[in-house]
Amino acid sequence: VKKVGVIGAGVAGLQMARALLAYGFEITVFEAAPKVGGVWRENYHSYGVQVPKQLYEFPDFPFDAVKWGDYPTGQETQTYVEAYVDHFKLEPYIKFNTTVLALTERKGQKGYVFDLGESGSEEFDFAIIATGMYSQVPNMPSWASTKGEFTGDIIHSSKYLDQSAASGKRVVVIGCGKSAIDIVISAAEVAKTAPTLLFRSAHWCTPRLIAGLIPFQYIFLSRFGQALVTWYKGAWPAGAPCIHTILSWLLFPLMWIAFRIVEFLFKIQRGQWGSYAPKLDVVADFYGYAHVLDTTFLSKWRQAKLQGKQGTVKRLVKNGVETELGEVIEADVVICATGWNKTYDYLPAQVQQSLNVQSDGLHLHRHCIPAKVRDISLAFCGSEVATISNIATYALHAEYISRMLKGVMALPSESEMRYECDKMRAWKRSWMPETSSRASLVLLHQTHYHDQLLRDMGLPEARKCCLSELFCPYHPMDYNGIMKQ
């Protein structure tokens, strides 16, 4: 492999480009937008990082513009991403305003022809998809396609770019994830009446400070915290030390009690009682609908500056939305914070068949390598994995894929990779909620997952010293030096 095409210039695609260049590959990055950044380039009003800056920075490029412990805004993050591009001189390798419409397999040799529409086409020995988890096709409810007599506006959350969409209007926000909550808070500042958050099911909101004292990452992202989750839900297949499997059998009753206490603390902090009480346990729910929030939402709800209602939309009516119980909620604008759908239609039919995408997503070896990679010359950097500190995960993916392509790291056989995928899929389906993204979920098991990647690359897993290795959360900077300089 000499020539590599990368699709996407967000934080995954940029680190992929930086790693490939370090190993001497000839690369081109294709970006449909006029600038780098992916979701940080443009997103809903008031968007930002839901973890503190020390959990969201490139491992080899510090986020100095934001103070330790602060949560960066979307614009601060975009500026930081652009600085990364300048620092590593990546812009000459990026083709902006260029959409990859389709990949076609080359005749007589491995690799692909990238169909670039009016921009022509280019051939590559290998393709890497780095389009992210949340940027392909907006997911809109079926009822949204039939306005009927409704005279207001229906938009996806990604189109709520400023508060003018809500100013002086009656607003209904559909959903209960981070974007839904961010948007209803934003709308509350300018709407005609208190906006309504309409949610089908309530989900646990992880507080930034647990019990008002402990930063959430010390509970969930340290090795000790990782052990607690492991003893409760089981060990990460092939990634966690074997002792954790035994301890999960022995300590489950104790962990069950411990996480009920955690749920009680969350209920007190977040006011999650009554219709706003989640049905799933806190860990399982986190693996379907994870989000970390401050106290703004709860305080505005208590002040009656916004309201939350449990229910589903049956249809749109003239003056708003009608729920399945017949209640009409008046609205001039309905904002659907209902997530994204993935599509693989740009890939050749034979490749799609090889990938075997299922209802809960694309199951890959190490969440980045198809089992048939030797035949289909394709990998995924950051677009099929969800962790808490995803920017660090993308860096490890970039190095992992680059080492594989350079031949300095050997992959298991196709049958061995399929076996690992089957084992991971069965484990996830045994307890995680059924969602379209379940295949990608790592989240609270990210430290053991990162250990797994490091072991494959022949690198040491322990990157801290003394007690900090056990009790302090892993930050991206702990992986500084892994990517080839």
Side-chain angles (χ1 to χ4, degrees), residues 353-413:
Q353 185 177 1
S354 297
L355 291 175
N356 189 27
V357 180
Q358 301 191 13
S359 61
D360 56 356
L362 176 54
H363 295 268
L364 299 168
H365 177 70
R366 303 299 190 249
H367 291 78
C368 59
I369 306 294
K372 293 182 71 67
V373 64
R374 296 175 178 88
D375 297 324
I376 63 176
S377 301
L378 179 73
F380 296 82
C381 179
S383 57
E384 303 294 338
V385 66
T387 59
I388 307 300
S389 184
N390 57 40
I391 196 168
T393 304
Y394 302 164
L396 295 177
H397 273 196
E399 182 67 15
Y400 194 95
I401 295 169
S402 297
R403 289 186 178 213
M404 175 196 73
L405 292 177
K406 197 64 177 179
V408 298
M409 181 191 74
L411 285 177
S413 67

Side-chain angles (χ1 to χ4, degrees), residues 149-152 170 316-321 328-332:
E149 296 181 343
F150 181 61
T151 57
R170 298 167 299 177
L316 293 164
V317 294
K318 185 176 181 179
N319 59 337
V321 298
V328 173
I329 304 173
E330 295 185 348
D332 302 307

Side-chain angles (χ1 to χ4, degrees), residues 154-225:
I154 309 170
I155 61 173
H156 187 260
S157 56
S158 60
K159 300 301 180 184
Y160 180 74
L161 300 180
D162 57 61
Q163 290 177 306
S164 64
S167 181
K169 299 177 182 178
R170 298 167 299 177
V171 179
V172 172
V173 180
I174 309 296
C176 197
K178 182 179 185 297
S179 60
I181 292 172
D182 284 347
I183 290 171
V184 78
I185 290 172
S186 169
E189 298 173 356
V190 296
K192 180 179 180 180
T193 58
T196 299
L197 180 74
L198 184 63
F199 54 91
R200 181 171 50 196
S201 301
H203 301 294
W204 293 104
C205 301
T206 303
R208 291 180 176 181
L209 295 175
I210 296 176
L213 298 171
I214 307 171
F216 78 94
Q217 61 267 29
Y218 281 84
I219 300 297
F220 291 121
L221 296 183
S222 65
R223 288 198 181 276
F224 176 70

